[in-house]
Amino acid sequence: MRSVGWRWFGIVAGIVIVALAIGLYVNKFLRAPTPVSAQQTGPAQAELTLGTTPAVGKLGGHPSWVSYLVRQGNQWKHTTTFDVPAHSLVKITILNFDGESGLRNPFLSQVQGTVGGTMQLNGKTIRNISPDAASHTFTVPQMGIVVPIQGVADDAPNQCEEMPCSLGQAHETVTFMIRTGKKGWIRWQCFVPCAAGFFTGFGGPMQTIGYMDGFLHVV
Ligand SMILES: [Cu+2]
């Protein structure tokens, strides 16, 4: 009798431990970080400045991981969840401090779904970049948006290795405008296999919210 009781105890305890472990794992990987709000610049208009870095450094939990960040005032914040106003024009600037990784699918080197179907690269209006020169993409599948991000050239002087990067260091500036719709949570992600050291470049930061994935929280 006693051994049956212990057996049941063991089974229940085992189930509880496994359930807790699964819960913690899912929570860690799926929980969205604290959002940062786009800055309202007028009625139905806002601006958001992001950054991409070869390594997040001490601003993130995995210092060596490639990451997106958001700039608030003069500071970098490590989050990839952004509050943006509904039914508005949102101007997004991405300051990319990372090098060229290259796209496997050249289709994603064409700008898609932005206002005018264009972006500006260091002030010049363009519709695509060379697939080999891509460092990251800012892709919002649900909105049909693809913005390829030009990488910093290998021989560029004064490169930033990890955040916080200063604007005086080598970077490429990408600017584009998107039009938001109704309220909701919309997933965005990078499609360049930029996760160095991971199988096919698509592991780790490429599948972890807060690094190469996040949400547009339309409010
Ligand atoms: Cu990326």
Side-chain angles (χ1 to χ4, degrees):
M1 247 352 252
R2 206 167 134 205
S3 78
V4 172
W6 275 112
R7 203 170 294 167
W8 274 109
F9 175 78
I11 290 170
V12 171
I15 290 171
V16 168
I17 288 166
V18 169
L20 273 175
I22 292 173
L24 285 171
Y25 181 85
V26 169
N27 183 50
K28 184 175 189 304
F29 281 94
L30 294 189
R31 193 183 34 169
T34 317
V36 162
S37 291
Q39 200 188 351
Q40 201 85 31
T41 49
Q45 277 180 24
E47 271 183 19
L48 190 61
T49 302
L50 311 179
T52 33
T53 172
V56 68
K58 54 185 179 300
L59 297 182
H62 300 274
S64 65
W65 282 15
V66 61
S67 192
Y68 267 90
L69 294 95
V70 59
R71 197 161 171 87
Q72 211 181 24
N74 282 327
Q75 286 196 316
W76 292 110
K77 294 268 162 66
H78 187 225
T79 184
T80 55
T81 301
F82 317 120
D83 288 345
V84 293
H87 305 290
S88 298
L89 286 172
V90 183
K91 184 184 171 192
I92 299 178
T93 301
I94 300 177
L95 306 167
N96 177 33
F97 295 89
D98 199 5
E100 301 175 353
S101 290
L103 273 160
R104 294 207 180 110
N105 183 350
F107 181 66
L108 300 171
S109 66
Q110 323 255 335
V111 183
Q112 295 159 60
T114 63
V115 174
T118 59
M119 67 178 197
Q120 292 202 310
L121 175 60
N122 302 320
K124 195 175 155 217
T125 302
I126 56 172
R127 288 179 181 273
N128 61 280
I129 65 169
S130 159
D132 296 336
S135 191
H136 304 281
T137 69
F138 184 85
T139 304
V140 194
Q142 204 178 320
M143 296 170 79
I145 294 168
V146 180
V147 176
I149 318 272
Q150 174 87 20
V152 172
D154 284 348
D155 56 357
N158 194 19
Q159 295 190 32
C160 176
E161 251 138 56
E162 62 171 45
M163 279 287 174
C165 300
S166 89
L167 301 192
Q169 290 177 286
H171 64 279
E172 304 285 334
T173 305
V174 171
T175 314
F176 55 97
M177 187 90 80
I178 63 169
R179 192 182 293 278
T180 61
K182 63 181 196 314
K183 294 177 183 180
W185 287 87
I186 300 175
R187 181 176 62 84
W188 71 266
Q189 70 171 90
C190 165
F191 271 103
V192 171
C194 63
F198 287 88
F199 184 60
T200 72
F202 280 120
M206 279 300 282
Q207 43 185 252
T208 306
I209 291 167
Y211 290 84
M212 282 288 136
D213 314 69
F215 288 95
L216 292 178
H217 182 210
V218 186
V219 292

